[in-house]
Amino acid sequence: MSHQQPSPAPVPAPARGSADAPRRTGLLVAALAAGLLLGAAGVGAAWAVTGDDSGATSPTGPATDARGACAALAGFDESKYMTKADEGDVSLHRWSGANALSAAAAAGDPAYKPLAAALHRAQQRHQVVYEFNAEVKKDLAEARRICADI
């Protein structure tokens, strides 16, 4: 008869990484903070190097947005707005683009607020009557006059 020895009681394994978890979390937070600081420094350096942010010669900025709004408005033909063909889609998108770009220009430079205000009034009036009546056309004419000076 063989006598079996009792097997030793299992010893629980230490919790994996429990002592290292705070250290790893701290390193992760430090790396994240360093990355954010380096990114912010890079953006600041880019702004410092490029200098003028008026948009006068920049491919982006309020002046560029205003010129884009005026270009969209110049290509907008209100008589084609309600047509069913592609002409209607083009007209709709130019109208929307002129409004959006004029608002962006005004947000970036108060000098463009009159353009944005004229287009916004035209848009609001159009939404009420859903046609380009005399009042809406008056606001469009004002916006086009402002564009002639941009």
Side-chain angles (χ1 to χ4, degrees), residues 20-32:
D20 293 333
R23 190 175 124 225
R24 277 190 266 164
T25 302
L27 288 174
L28 180 62
V29 169
L32 180 62

Side-chain angles (χ1 to χ4, degrees), residues 59-93:
T60 62
T64 302
D65 291 337
R67 287 189 300 272
C70 290
L73 184 59
F76 173 66
D77 182 354
E78 56 269 19
S79 69
K80 295 180 181 176
Y81 185 77
M82 295 299 293
T83 61
K84 300 279 185 203
D86 288 342
E87 287 179 329
D89 286 342
V90 169
S91 185
L92 168 73
H93 293 303

Side-chain angles (χ1 to χ4, degrees), residues 62-137:
T64 302
D65 291 337
R67 287 189 300 272
C70 290
L73 184 59
F76 173 66
D77 182 354
E78 56 269 19
S79 69
K80 295 180 181 176
Y81 185 77
M82 295 299 293
T83 61
K84 300 279 185 203
D86 288 342
E87 287 179 329
D89 286 342
V90 169
S91 185
L92 168 73
H93 293 303
R94 285 186 178 152
W95 171 245
S96 298
N99 276 287
L101 286 169
S102 69
D109 185 340
Y112 299 113
K113 286 189 180 204
L115 173 62
L119 285 170
H120 183 73
R121 275 192 315 274
Q123 183 182 40
Q124 293 299 309
R125 287 183 174 153
H126 180 263
Q127 287 177 344
V128 170
V129 296
Y130 206 66
E131 67 177 294
F132 290 92
N133 65 10
E135 290 296 311
V136 177
K137 287 181 180 181

